[in-house]
Amino acid sequence: MPLITLNAVDVSVGGPLLLERAELSIESGERIALIGRNGAGKSTLLRVLAGEQAPDDGEVRRADGVRVARLEQEVPPGAGGDVFDVVAAGLGDLGAALAEYHHLLHADDLDTDALAAAQARIEAGGGWELDRRVGEILTRLDLDGDVAFASLSGGMKRRVLLARALVAAPDLLLLDEPTNHLDIAAIDWLEEFLRGWPGALVFVTHDRRFLRALATRIVEIERGRVTSWPGDWGNYLRRREERLNAESQENARFDKLLAQEEAWIRQGIKARRTRDEGRVRRLQAMRSERAQRRDPAGSVRMQAAQAGASGKKVIEARGVSFRYGDGRPLLEDFSTTILRGDRIGLIGPNGSGKTTLLRLLLGGLQPQAGEMRIGTQLQVAYFDQYRAALREDWNALENVAEGQEFLEINGQRKHVIGYLQDFLFTPERARAPITRLSGGERNRLLLAKLFAQPSNLLVMDEPTNDLDVETLELLEDLLAEYPGTLLLVSHDRDFLDNVVTSTLVMEGNGRVGEYVGGYSDWLRQRPARAAPSPPAPVAAAAPPPDVAAPAKSGAPRAAGTGEDSAGPAAPRARRKLGYKDARELEQLPARIERLEEELAALTAAMADPAFYRREQDAIADHHGALADRQAELERAYARWEALERASGD
């Protein structure tokens, strides 16, 4: 039986329906990626699934006793107290009693009466088991329950809120942009954790690599319609293209027929006297159908205002050192040269000093040793991840125009309203207070403001947060063709791979490594000591042995030596697989091919309209078989990689 089922659900927040006669069924164990353009209604659908928002029409059916928890897109402003308090709040009244007991127990002056009262409330509700669960979750997520929540970084706050969602042991976990403000190590850890999550999962993310790694089904919201696409991201892209092509051809046929009928109705007097009244009624119905059609949303049209060329040498660092006030080194004897046209990514854990390094490179902070030279004729445009450049008391139009009516973009004079329409802001939306804009709309607005400034050095600090996938890909194209120099801080692995030509990596203890290429290139080149150390995954989230094997066999070696990083040793001889492993490697391609065929057949069966008229148990079994084949295929690929790598050591 499905955990939650939506039947003909309508939701509106003014204007066209965000959800129109939406149908959706969520089975236990599914991992559903919810996608759609910014403002399409993804967060709204999550609130409906969580029971926080009632639909305007239609029915939401829930299985008896189903537990749902939601991780919101932004950190709620009211969250306070210690980490333990925030996590325990996921348990409701009993959680509040546990938090009170926790504080009383650790207070300097022990209030035995209050402690006894709190203990009685916990015992009456059977809360000690829940207290143990809070402790387990804190341990699993590597969190200190006694630390003040307000003192944590954005990424750590997100981890605490994830713990609050998990502590209720939900059957369905709803995650809205879970990777926002997480560094790469934390994203990798979360990916592995959610792979082993036993319940159902519905998540919204802009991180395409994260999506591909987790999703067993894609659910798209477009023009109010909720469409389910079984299978992985690649299958969705192929089938969506086919659907859009068929829809375009059908609309073109309909519009041609409508134009013919309009021409007929406007013929001379003789035709009007003898015209077919049934044909007239059909024309009226066609006009009504055309008026109700919701055409696809346009695409963002980005172009960056360009300044004149900078000097060839943009930034040069020679023997630069910098330490924090507590003596911790950020840079030790750091040297680099950034030339015009370089596209450089900055990679490192949260709190490693990426923003401080940017300030040093741009001259906003002076090094304590060494020399930093800034090139000539630089015009800098800076994208701030906290969106501080946007004034909350101005609307979108005022934030970009700043008193002007027209903007000059690469020699073309453009009205501000027309310019904002290129970034998908209607005139009404452009004049609305920015407090009413979604996270994705605010990011688009900041991009519009940024690209209106002539520049030859773009500095972008986490520009991908909250952007939909289509806008993200357009931004990639723009940055890849930008003629100036780019400094990019990002935790989006695909974005880094597609945009940058080299990376600076914060490796700790004052060392900044410099590598050719993007994130994946860094993984291949990095020495073992540069590998990030994310929190250890929990036992329940650990992948099967076959999946874990590549991480061990592919352990990085000291750069340029070919030796294990444990210490100097004689060059290793080429390893020969044992008979059993060699035989397995020989048989794996055929096994993978068979699994792919089975997966394709299961996916094709679910595309049949008659599929969802079957018994619910049969549908659930089919979903389970699909998930099993997908997991088995992933393990087979991982095992193949491991054996291939082992045989080539």
Side-chain angles (χ1 to χ4, degrees):
M1 180 181 177
L3 299 174
I4 295 182
T5 303
L6 306 187
N7 288 327
V9 164
D10 289 347
V11 177
S12 174
V13 291
L17 290 172
L18 275 180
L19 303 177
E20 184 174 3
R21 300 195 64 77
E23 303 277 346
L24 181 63
S25 178
I26 301 173
E27 303 284 346
S28 180
E30 282 194 290
R31 297 196 300 265
I32 298 173
L34 185 59
I35 66 169
R37 300 292 292 271
N38 291 136
K42 301 186 294 293
S43 296
T44 299
L45 178 55
L46 290 184
R47 287 194 294 272
V48 170
L49 292 172
E52 299 168 8
Q53 181 171 342
D56 299 326
D57 197 9
E59 179 187 20
V60 180
R61 289 206 307 264
R62 304 174 188 277
D64 291 340
V66 66
R67 297 184 301 275
V68 181
R70 182 168 79 94
L71 173 66
E72 301 174 42
Q73 190 175 125
E74 299 292 342
V75 175
D82 293 344
V83 167
F84 187 96
D85 301 342
V86 176
V87 174
L91 298 170
D93 292 340
L94 266 178
L98 286 170
E100 181 186 359
Y101 180 83
H102 181 80
H103 280 288
L104 290 169
L105 194 62
H106 293 86
D108 293 333
D109 298 323
L110 190 62
D111 186 339
T112 54
D113 292 338
L115 189 67
Q119 185 174 345
R121 289 200 304 276
I122 294 169
E123 288 174 350
W128 295 121
E129 173 61 25
L130 298 180
D131 183 62
R132 184 186 61 79
R133 191 188 300 168
V134 172
E136 284 182 355
I137 291 291
L138 291 174
T139 302
R140 286 181 176 186
L141 300 190
D142 195 24
L143 295 170
D144 185 346
D146 296 323
V147 172
F149 180 75
S151 69
L152 299 177
S153 66
M156 288 302 293
K157 285 180 178 177
R158 297 282 289 173
R159 192 180 296 183
V160 173
L161 295 176
L162 175 62
R164 184 171 74 174
L166 294 175
V167 77
D171 303 297
L172 172 60
L173 183 60
L174 308 174
L175 303 178
D176 199 348
E177 293 289 1
T179 63
N180 271 7
H181 310 298
L182 296 184
D183 56 35
I184 290 175
I187 292 171
D188 286 337
W189 172 86
L190 180 61
E191 208 173 273
E192 288 302 316
F193 180 87
L194 293 176
R195 276 178 181 272
W197 174 249
L201 174 67
V202 178
F203 64 99
V204 176
T205 185
H206 66 271
D207 189 318
R208 289 155 292 178
R209 190 170 299 196
F210 184 83
L211 188 156
R212 289 196 300 269
L214 288 176
T216 58
R217 178 156 63 114
I218 310 292
V219 170
E220 178 188 44
I221 304 179
E222 185 188 27
R223 291 170 280 168
R225 295 179 301 189
V226 175
T227 312
S228 181
W229 307 84
D232 60 12
W233 176 247
N235 177 64
Y236 157 74
L237 291 177
R238 289 190 299 273
R239 295 184 58 192
R240 180 177 184 271
E241 190 63 33
E242 293 168 1
R243 185 199 68 181
L244 289 176
N245 185 53
E247 183 179 322
S248 175
Q249 291 179 1
E250 176 59 26
N251 286 344
R253 186 198 64 77
F254 179 90
D255 291 344
K256 182 178 179 180
L257 181 59
L258 178 59
Q260 292 171 349
E261 294 300 293
E262 292 286 6
W264 170 79
I265 201 68
R266 291 182 175 85
Q267 286 179 3
I269 298 295
K270 182 178 178 181
R272 286 201 296 272
R273 284 177 182 165
T274 59
R275 64 189 176 187
D276 182 352
E277 293 302 323
R279 191 172 178 181
V280 173
R281 287 193 294 272
R282 285 194 298 273
L283 173 58
Q284 291 171 338
M286 290 178 72
R287 286 173 174 171
S288 175
E289 182 179 344
R290 180 62 184 90
Q292 293 175 14
R293 182 197 298 171
R294 295 171 65 174
D295 292 320
S299 296
V300 174
R301 296 187 293 276
M302 297 184 193
Q303 61 172 326
Q306 296 167 17
S310 67
K312 183 176 181 181
K313 191 176 289 185
V314 176
I315 299 169
E316 184 178 18
R318 292 184 178 177
V320 170
S321 295
F322 186 87
R323 288 178 175 267
Y324 295 106
D326 59 5
R328 287 181 298 120
L330 171 69
L331 300 176
E332 289 285 359
D333 196 26
F334 169 66
S335 298
T336 191
T337 301
I338 298 173
L339 301 178
R340 182 177 64 229
D342 285 349
R343 298 195 299 275
I344 297 176
L346 272 67
I347 298 176
N350 287 336
S352 61
K354 298 186 294 296
T355 303
T356 305
L357 176 56
L358 278 181
R359 292 178 61 198
L360 285 163
L361 291 172
L362 297 174
L365 196 62
Q366 295 303 311
Q368 294 159 351
E371 184 181 13
M372 190 75 74
R373 292 183 179 179
I374 310 299
T376 59
Q377 300 175 339
L378 285 181
Q379 288 186 252
V380 181
Y382 193 104
F383 183 100
D384 170 28
Q385 66 166 311
Y386 300 108
R387 305 170 188 144
L390 299 178
R391 283 188 53 168
E392 295 287 322
D393 57 334
W394 285 1
N395 59 29
L397 181 65
E398 292 165 335
N399 267 285
V400 172
E402 295 184 349
Q404 303 178 70
E405 190 175 353
F406 291 89
L407 299 172
E408 191 84 20
I409 309 290
N410 298 330
Q412 294 183 339
R413 198 162 177 261
K414 203 159 194 176
H415 194 277
V416 179
I417 288 290
Y419 176 71
L420 282 172
Q421 285 177 325
D422 287 345
F423 288 81
L424 304 187
F425 288 97
T426 63
E428 296 77 17
R429 204 68 176 157
R431 294 186 175 92
I434 68 167
T435 51
R436 287 172 48 190
L437 301 183
S438 69
E441 287 174 317
R442 284 181 176 232
N443 245 23
R444 281 209 312 271
L445 178 60
L446 193 52
L447 289 173
K449 182 178 176 70
L450 179 81
F451 292 149
Q453 307 170 31
S455 70
N456 50 32
L457 174 58
L458 264 181
V459 182
M460 310 195 80
D461 193 354
E462 287 293 346
T464 64
N465 284 348
D466 304 316
L467 291 181
D468 57 61
V469 171
E470 185 173 345
T471 304
L472 198 58
E473 291 173 346
L474 291 170
L475 178 59
E476 283 179 353
D477 292 340
L478 182 145
L479 295 180
E481 296 172 2
Y482 180 67
T485 308
L486 172 69
L487 297 178
L488 171 68
V489 177
S490 181
H491 299 310
D492 188 318
R493 297 156 292 181
D494 278 7
F495 193 77
L496 286 165
D497 279 346
N498 295 337
V499 171
V500 305
T501 55
S502 62
T503 51
L504 295 175
V505 183
M506 312 299 291
E507 296 178 343
N509 297 321
R511 174 178 166 78
V512 178
E514 191 165 3
Y515 301 87
V516 175
Y519 171 78
S520 298
D521 299 299
W522 166 63
L523 286 183
R524 288 193 292 271
Q525 300 172 62
R526 65 181 179 177
R529 63 181 172 178
S533 40
V538 301
D546 287 349
V547 178
K552 295 180 181 178
S553 61
R557 308 177 197 289
T561 66
E563 299 171 354
D564 284 349
S565 58
R572 293 177 55 173
R574 181 179 177 87
R575 177 182 170 188
K576 184 177 180 181
L577 291 177
Y579 173 82
K580 183 179 177 182
D581 286 345
R583 180 67 174 159
E584 184 183 1
L585 179 59
E586 182 183 339
Q587 294 174 342
L588 269 171
R591 180 183 166 204
I592 287 172
E593 186 177 356
R594 175 179 56 79
L595 287 170
E596 287 179 333
E597 289 172 356
E598 291 177 6
L599 194 62
L602 288 166
T603 301
M606 293 173 72
D608 187 344
F611 175 82
Y612 289 98
R613 292 198 289 269
R614 298 162 60 187
E615 293 291 331
Q616 289 294 336
D617 288 345
I619 294 174
D621 290 342
H622 195 100
H623 278 295
L626 181 71
D628 289 344
R629 294 298 185 282
Q630 185 79 39
E632 192 176 353
L633 181 62
E634 289 171 0
R635 289 195 294 271
Y637 267 120
R639 182 61 174 161
W640 189 22
E641 264 185 48
L643 291 173
E644 281 277 299
R645 193 178 292 120
S647 66
D649 278 352

